[in-house]
């Protein structure tokens, strides 16, 4: 959606539960534009409403979940796999819009 | 407000006109959380409403303006002066909240 130096700014629509994963080399930025997002960590849940953000520190296992469709802004270094260390069917290719 | 790798994520309240300035070494990310922001460029104005964002490419002169108070999320490499190449009375020291 936009580029900030060597970071990609992405807009994603999410619903349901993602997979537990970790990014070893980057923090992971989430900002809720619409709806509600739960970022599950192993020791607690982060609840984000509209206009709220959380940065998952690198190396911390997490699993985002949205019970209803939510619109999320992500900012990550270009080339960061969405599923972190866990390649699988949920690993996505990004697409410019 | 938050840190994303070596970037600072800042929340600023703005009202009025800033100064014309340029960042030679970084793009400049603006996301409107509340209100309306005009990013004046030399050849056009970018009008941003709530939930809208714009990235000013490095080297492009710009001057943000908000006729009414707006809440803006900024993302910049740590140490980026807010007034870019133009030091002056509007140059701010950031403060953690």
């Amino acid at each position: 959606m936009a580029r900030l130096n060597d970071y990609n700014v992405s807009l994603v629509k999410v619903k349901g539960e993602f997979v537990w994963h970790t990014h070893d080399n980057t923090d992971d930025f989430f900002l809720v534009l619409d709806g509600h997002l739960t970022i599950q960590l192993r020791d607690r849940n982060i609840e984000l409403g509209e206009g709220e953000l959380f940065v998952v520190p690198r190396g911390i296992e997490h699993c985002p979940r949205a019970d209803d469709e939510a619109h999320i802004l992500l900012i990550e270094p270009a080339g960061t796999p969405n599923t972190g260390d866990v390649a699988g069917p949920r690993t996505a290719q990004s697409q410019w819009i």
Side-chain angles (χ1 to χ4, degrees), chain A:
Chain A
M1 190 169 111
R3 181 92 176 194
L4 172 67
N5 299 325
D6 50 352
Y7 284 66
N8 284 334
V9 180
S10 317
L11 177 65
V12 295
K13 291 185 185 183
V14 296
K15 186 175 179 180
E17 187 170 65
F18 203 59
V19 293
W20 283 96
H21 67 282
T22 305
H23 301 281
D24 285 329
N25 299 314
T26 180
D27 302 336
D28 208 7
F29 177 99
F30 297 82
L31 169 70
V32 175
L33 289 176
D34 193 38
H36 186 96
L37 182 72
T38 302
I39 300 176
Q40 302 173 91
L41 307 177
R42 285 302 186 186
D43 62 346
R44 64 193 165 123
N45 287 347
I46 307 295
E47 305 290 347
L48 298 181
E50 199 176 304
E52 294 183 329
L53 68 87
F54 187 73
V55 179
V56 179
R58 68 184 66 194
I60 299 294
E61 205 179 7
H62 58 285
C63 178
R65 189 186 77 220
D67 295 328
D68 298 303
E69 183 177 291
H71 298 179
I72 311 294
L73 187 87
L74 301 178
I75 303 179
E76 299 168 310
T80 302
N82 63 328
T83 54
D85 59 324
V86 185
R90 304 294 287 276
T91 304
Q93 302 302 318
S94 61
Q95 178 187 354
W96 283 86
I97 55 174

